[in-house]
Structure formats: C-alpha cells, structure tokens
Amino acid sequence: MSQLNKNKPVFSLLNDIQSLIKSNDPALIQKKLSSLLSVNFYQNPSNFASLQNDLIINNNNSYNDLEKLIESYSFFNNDLDSFNTLILSYLNLVKSLNPSLLLNSLKYLIDYLNNLILFYLNPSYGYYSSYLLINSLNFLIPILIQFNRVLNSNNHNSNNNIILSNLSINLLKIFNNIRSSFYKNNLKINLLLFISINLCKIYYLINQPLLIQNIFININTLKNLNFDIFPKSQQISYRYYLANHYFIKNDLINSFHHFNWCYNNFYSPNLLKLKNPTIKLADIKNLKIIVENLVVIGLLLGKKNFNHLNNLFSNYPNDFNFILTYYNPILIAVQSGNLNLFISHLFNNQFYFKKKNFLILLINKGELLIYRKLFQRVYLLRKNLILSNYNKEHDDDKKIENEISTIDYNCFNIALNHSIGDLYSKISTNTNNFNYLFKIQTNTESNLINDELIENILISLINSNFLKGNIFPKLQKIKVSTKNNPFPDIFQINNTRFSLNKNDAWLDK
C-alpha cells in the first residue's frame, strides 16, 4: 500500500468520497458524487488526467491492492460491496482510458456502467447515484451507440446489436426498479422519464419498437404520478415516443394528439406564436420531426389547413421549406380531388416518403380522401346546376330534391377519369413502381374505371362515415342524404369515431 502516495489524486478522491458519505446529506451526496465519479473526461480534463497519471505511475500495484485500499476506507461500513466495486471499476476505467481510442476501453466502460447500475439498484442507498447515473448515461449512450455501429460494420452484420441489447437489459432493470419502488421510495422517481426515453431510443435502434409498449403500459399503472414534476424536455421526448408508438400501430388520432402536444409545448406556451421566436439550432432538427409527423397525420385525418404553423414557416423558411415542398402538393390534391397530382407527386418523391415511412400510409389513406373530395365536387356541381334551372313556381320541390340526391355511377366515372388524366402516360415507363403506388389494377387498353370500382369506392366512403347515403347496385345509383350535410367534416368524424386512450389521460392533467 506504500506505493500509493497519500498526497496523490487517488487518495484525494477516496478521502473526498469518505467525507461526502459521512455528511449524511442525501442532496449533497447526489450532487458531489456525480462529479467525483464522473466518467465524462471533458467536464474536468485536468483532474481526470492527474488521476490517470497517478494510477499509471503506480502501475506495479496489483488489482487487489486497489481493492484493499478501497476497503480500508470502510464506505458504508463495508456492508455495500456494490459501492466499493463501483469505485474500483471507475479507477480501472480512468487508468485504461485513451480518449482518442475509446473502443480499446470498451470493456472498462461497460464494467463501470454495469457496476454503477448495480449500486443504483440498492434499495437503501442507490438513489445517491441518481445524478451520477444520469450524467454517465448521457455521456456513455452516444459512445455505446457508435461502438455498436462500428462492431456491426466490422462483423458485416447489422442485426448483431450486442452492446445495445445488453444496454437495454440494464436500462429495463433500472426502469423496473424505479417502478417497483415508486410507493416506497419516491426519491428515484425523478429518473423515470429519463430512463424510459433512453430505453425507447435503444429499442428503436435494435429494431424492437414493439417492446416500447410495455414501458407506457407500466408507467400508466402508477397512480398519482404527476407528469409536470419532470423537466419539459423529458415530457416532450416521452410524448414524442408515445406518439410514434401510436403511429406504428396505425392509431392516428392518439398519435396526432401527442405530436400536437409536443409542438405546442416545445418551448414556453406562446413562444412559437411570436413574430421572431428564438429556437436553438440543436432543437431545429427535433422540431422538424415533430412538425413533419404532425402535418402528415393531420392531412390523413382530414385537417383542412395548418395555419397555426405559418408563423414557424415564415420565421424559419430555410429549415421548414421542405414541408411546403413535399406536402403542399398533397394538400392541394386532397382539397381538389386531384388523383393525378397526388399519385404523380408520390411517385416522383417515393424514395423520400419511403425513407420517412410515410409512403404506404399516404397511399392507403390518401386515396380515399381524394375520392371523397372528388365525389363531393360532383355532388355540388350537379346540385348547383339543377338549382340554377329550378323554377320555384312550376317545379316540384320533392322532385328537385330527389334529382339532386340521386346520382348515377356514370357521373363519378367521368369525374374519376378526369381526375386520373394522363397519369398512366406520365409513369408508364416503370410498371412495377406504378402498380405499387397506384392500386387500381385494370387493363390499360380498356376503360380504366368501371361501375364495380365506383361502387367499391362509395361503399368505403359510406362505411368510413365520409359520405351519407344509400347505394342501389342494380340501378347503379346512389341516393345521397340531404337532410344533413352528406359530406361531414372528416377531422371531426375521425375524432368522434376513434377516441383517445383513457390510460394516457393523466398526461394532460
């Protein structure tokens, strides 16, 4: 033990830890321990370097020498082996770490993190390491993600996520520990969203997004949990992952609700409504993701405009111009019933939409919206034409009403052919992509639209409550309801038809 000079950094560190624990001040211990055992060498490089130099100079001391030295301090009366092991793993990490070759220290980084988590799981003193755990994970997770990519690249196996899979297991242990001790020790509750967010992130990186559902289910079971006790940034991140989870499940109403909350709470309540709000460059990327999801889902749910985003677009045109480029043509196509514009735009930008995981969703749900608008225009044009020739003194009101409400399939046939226009000639050079994008499978040498297709579209519109009426297949006609609006507001219909998850209601209290 004499090899280690007591005036050197190793002893100084151990003495500081001993004094800190003896203070019996939980808040002080949480704060100071985060600094004393921090693995982030960028925060205090000079202290880190001096500690490393001391350990290297005394490199003839064996592993057991350091272990015995730590035991000699009797931290927690030597009844807490996990704490001693944490300190030992920290010193070994410091000794081996080369900032320019971090991959060579992977073993020590993982050992340190595993021992830190082990100590955190201690029911009596684990919460002392809450801040240390947050700081360490914030520093180590990006490094481990990068290591995982390097190893996958070297092994030519993108599915071999050993590092991140092990990390997810450890994060899940922390999550379950916090959840199980919620009613016994709420001193750990401040880490709940932090761990949940990082666990969601890792699940996505290892291609296991469905596991995220367990996180939300388990958090929702915690009674009397106040969402507002967590930092706003964590609230936004948590609800972003929740919104994305609903999106994957094709639950657009719940997804839109949480993305909309994220947008409205990205900063202080009214900041984005100001003429010149200040947004950090680092946050622009996150806001882009939120806004793009909000626009896509809003379009498919039937939102007619996004005027509340105009201020954002005008203040940050270079950052958000892509929204107008990619989605304004879709909005125009939906509002005009222009199938040619809709399919052509998706076809020309298919790689972008596919990369964003929006392509199939836009095709599947967007077409029905266009049919709805197209048929609505047919109905209104016929109605206005009939009423323009209406003579109140000589014409029977009921007869006029019946004429307005009864529409031949042929009217829709003509309109749909017009809406398609020259679509086939535009993209006929790539048949496979065309068939993938445009689901109407017909013989291009014959009539593109037939009565069977028109009838199927009308049935889909009626079943979706986008159109009120009755079909008469033998007559090839539809009787549109004229008592109320036969084409109700789609956004309202979707909000009525699909309700928000009641289990998430605590988030909005």
Side-chain angles (χ1 to χ4, degrees), residues 106-107 109-111 113-115 117-118 121 133 137 140-141 144-145 147-148 151-152 159-175 195 198-199 202-203 205-208 211:
L106 177 59
K107 174 186 179 301
L109 287 168
I110 292 178
D111 284 346
L113 183 57
N114 288 342
N115 288 316
I117 291 172
L118 184 62
L121 296 179
L133 185 63
L137 287 173
L140 289 176
I141 286 179
L144 294 177
I145 290 173
F147 283 173
N148 192 78
L151 292 178
N152 284 345
N159 296 320
N160 188 19
N161 297 301
I162 296 176
I163 295 176
L164 295 188
S165 294
N166 289 334
L167 177 60
S168 70
I169 292 172
N170 280 323
L171 291 177
L172 185 59
K173 288 179 182 178
I174 300 173
F175 175 80
I195 296 298
N198 280 287
L199 192 51
I202 299 302
Y203 280 151
L205 290 173
I206 63 176
N207 298 315
Q208 296 289 344
L211 293 178

Side-chain angles (χ1 to χ4, degrees), residues 87-99:
I87 297 174
L88 180 61
S89 63
Y90 174 73
L91 293 175
N92 280 303
L93 171 60
V94 172
K95 182 179 178 179
S96 70
L97 194 65
N98 182 347

Side-chain angles (χ1 to χ4, degrees), residues 372 376 379-380 466-468 480-489:
R372 206 300 276 262
Q376 183 183 28
Y379 169 76
L380 292 175
F466 294 170
L467 169 62
K468 296 178 181 178
V480 176
S481 173
T482 56
K483 291 183 178 179
N484 298 308
N485 181 10
F487 295 91
D489 184 272

Side-chain angles (χ1 to χ4, degrees), residues 228-362:
D228 287 333
I229 68 173
F230 301 102
K232 183 66 74 174
S233 60
Q234 290 184 14
Q235 293 182 39
I236 292 172
S237 294
Y238 179 83
R239 292 187 74 152
Y240 163 77
Y241 281 113
L242 182 58
N244 209 50
H245 169 68
Y246 282 122
F247 179 81
I248 291 174
K249 294 175 63 178
N250 204 28
D251 186 342
L252 299 188
I253 285 293
N254 278 286
S255 183
F256 181 84
H257 174 71
H258 293 293
F259 274 126
N260 196 47
W261 186 95
C262 289
Y263 173 76
N264 291 330
N265 289 271
F266 203 86
Y267 292 94
S268 56
N270 296 310
L271 181 58
L272 291 176
K273 297 178 183 178
L274 300 177
K275 290 184 178 180
N276 294 297
T278 301
I279 302 178
K280 297 178 182 178
L281 290 176
D283 291 331
I284 287 290
K285 180 180 178 181
N286 295 328
L287 190 55
K288 282 181 179 180
I289 296 172
I290 292 171
V291 170
E292 185 166 13
N293 278 278
L294 194 61
V295 168
V296 171
I297 298 170
L299 272 170
L300 297 177
L301 288 176
K303 277 195 70 68
K304 297 177 181 178
N305 63 69
F306 296 90
N307 293 334
H308 64 298
L309 301 178
N310 288 342
N311 185 267
L312 183 66
F313 295 158
S314 61
N315 282 301
Y316 298 90
N318 294 333
D319 294 301
F320 291 93
N321 187 57
F322 77 100
I323 295 288
L324 300 177
T325 300
Y326 286 111
Y327 297 104
N328 202 45
I330 296 177
L331 182 61
I332 293 172
V334 170
Q335 290 179 341
S336 61
N338 191 332
L339 198 60
N340 188 311
L341 173 61
F342 179 71
I343 296 296
S344 297
H345 183 69
L346 290 181
F347 178 82
N348 293 332
N349 299 280
Q350 61 183 284
F351 297 108
Y352 175 83
F353 291 119
K354 186 176 181 181
K355 182 180 178 182
K356 296 290 184 177
N357 295 319
F358 295 145
L359 182 60
I360 294 179
L361 186 69
L362 284 167

Side-chain angles (χ1 to χ4, degrees), residues 455-474:
E455 188 171 301
N456 286 335
I457 293 173
L458 289 171
I459 290 172
S460 295
L461 290 172
I462 292 172
N463 288 342
S464 300
N465 295 325
F466 294 170
L467 169 62
K468 296 178 181 178
N470 296 297
I471 295 172
F472 298 93
K474 291 183 178 180

Side-chain angles (χ1 to χ4, degrees), residues 302-477:
K303 277 195 70 68
K304 297 177 181 178
N305 63 69
F306 296 90
N307 293 334
H308 64 298
L309 301 178
N310 288 342
N311 185 267
L312 183 66
F313 295 158
S314 61
N315 282 301
Y316 298 90
N318 294 333
D319 294 301
F320 291 93
N321 187 57
F322 77 100
I323 295 288
L324 300 177
T325 300
Y326 286 111
Y327 297 104
N328 202 45
I330 296 177
L331 182 61
I332 293 172
V334 170
Q335 290 179 341
S336 61
N338 191 332
L339 198 60
N340 188 311
L341 173 61
F342 179 71
I343 296 296
S344 297
H345 183 69
L346 290 181
F347 178 82
N348 293 332
N349 299 280
Q350 61 183 284
F351 297 108
Y352 175 83
F353 291 119
K354 186 176 181 181
K355 182 180 178 182
K356 296 290 184 177
N357 295 319
F358 295 145
L359 182 60
I360 294 179
L361 186 69
L362 284 167
I363 295 170
N364 288 341
K365 293 188 177 294
E367 280 188 14
L368 192 61
L369 297 179
I370 289 181
Y371 296 145
R372 206 300 276 262
K373 186 63 180 181
L374 182 65
F375 290 7
Q376 183 183 28
R377 291 184 66 188
V378 169
Y379 169 76
L380 292 175
L381 284 171
R382 285 186 73 259
K383 179 180 179 180
N384 292 334
L385 180 62
I386 292 170
L387 290 178
S388 67
N389 297 319
Y390 171 55
N391 188 322
K392 192 173 183 180
E393 294 182 0
H394 299 94
D395 294 333
D396 188 308
D397 289 348
K398 289 185 177 181
K399 182 179 178 181
I400 294 297
E401 182 180 339
N402 183 66
E403 186 178 355
I404 290 173
S405 62
T406 305
I407 308 174
D408 292 336
Y409 287 1
N410 188 53
C411 292
F412 297 128
N413 188 314
I414 295 171
L416 193 49
N417 271 294
H418 180 75
S419 179
I420 292 174
D422 61 348
L423 181 61
Y424 284 97
S425 61
K426 282 184 178 179
I427 55 180
S428 60
T429 56
N430 196 327
T431 306
N432 289 333
N433 278 347
F434 173 69
N435 286 336
Y436 174 61
L437 283 168
F438 193 39
K439 296 182 297 182
I440 299 178
Q441 305 295 326
T442 57
N443 184 348
T444 56
E445 295 181 357
S446 62
N447 189 15
L448 295 177
I449 309 300
N450 54 42
D451 291 335
E452 184 180 356
L453 174 62
I454 296 295
E455 188 171 301
N456 286 335
I457 293 173
L458 289 171
I459 290 172
S460 295
L461 290 172
I462 292 172
N463 288 342
S464 300
N465 295 325
F466 294 170
L467 169 62
K468 296 178 181 178
N470 296 297
I471 295 172
F472 298 93
K474 291 183 178 180
L475 298 176
Q476 296 183 349
K477 296 178 185 292

Side-chain angles (χ1 to χ4, degrees), residues 218-230:
N218 283 308
I219 289 182
N220 284 343
T221 61
L222 299 177
K223 296 180 180 179
N224 302 319
L225 180 61
N226 183 0
F227 196 55
D228 287 333
I229 68 173
F230 301 102

